[in-house]
Amino acid sequence: MPLTPRVCVHSCIPSRYAGTPGPAFQGEISMATVHVNDSEFDAEVRQAETPVIVDFWAEWCGPCKQIGPALEELSDEYAGKLKIVKVNVDENPEQAAALGVRGIPALFMFKDGEVVSNRMGAAPKAALKSWIDESV
């Protein structure tokens, strides 16, 4: 399979090719978020009983890695009230395409199976928390 150049919506310097890991994250990551593939998307997101944030991301995207720890922390903070799931767009392109995702990171808030809000790009934890509170 040929390697395909990928483009991030930010002025980061990602790895040049999909499937090639970007810079290593320094620190410990809890895994409070749930990784979801295209076949699990409806059950995990559209049929969820609580609101769900979907983080469309890729391994090579620097800003995606930047917001990862904040999303893990927020997932812990909102446990039981909100679920945060991650969809790797390189491995699972169907839902991203269906929602018109053109750049990553892309965050979509689902409530009762429908998109109620979305935002593009990296942001500090405080800004993400504010967006969640406004959207829920």
Side-chain angles (χ1 to χ4, degrees):
M1 176 165 104
L3 296 175
T4 306
R6 301 291 185 187
V7 179
C8 185
V9 296
H10 301 281
S11 59
C12 65
I13 303 172
S15 296
R16 295 190 62 74
Y17 299 102
T20 304
F25 173 75
Q26 301 296 320
E28 186 177 319
I29 299 175
S30 72
M31 294 308 280
T33 59
V34 178
H35 288 262
V36 173
N37 62 39
D38 283 332
S39 65
E40 301 166 327
F41 193 87
D42 283 343
E44 291 289 334
V45 176
R46 296 188 190 277
Q47 297 169 11
E49 294 182 12
T50 60
V52 179
I53 292 175
V54 179
D55 172 24
F56 290 100
W57 71 287
E59 194 64 40
W60 48 264
C61 173
C64 299
K65 290 183 177 194
Q66 287 176 334
I67 67 170
L71 292 174
E72 295 295 336
E73 291 174 17
L74 290 167
S75 185
D76 284 336
E77 292 173 24
Y78 287 93
K81 300 177 209 159
L82 173 81
K83 178 166 63 169
I84 300 177
V85 304
K86 299 176 77 67
V87 177
N88 183 321
V89 297
D90 287 331
E91 297 170 1
N92 303 285
E94 290 176 24
Q95 294 301 323
L99 291 167
V101 173
R102 299 265 185 229
I104 54 174
L107 301 172
F108 284 74
M109 169 78 73
F110 283 79
K111 198 171 182 181
D112 298 321
E114 301 294 326
V115 175
V116 294
S117 183
N118 69 309
R119 65 178 294 141
M120 296 284 296
K125 180 182 172 185
L128 295 172
K129 184 172 176 49
S130 176
W131 173 67
I132 291 170
D133 291 341
E134 291 170 9
S135 301
V136 175

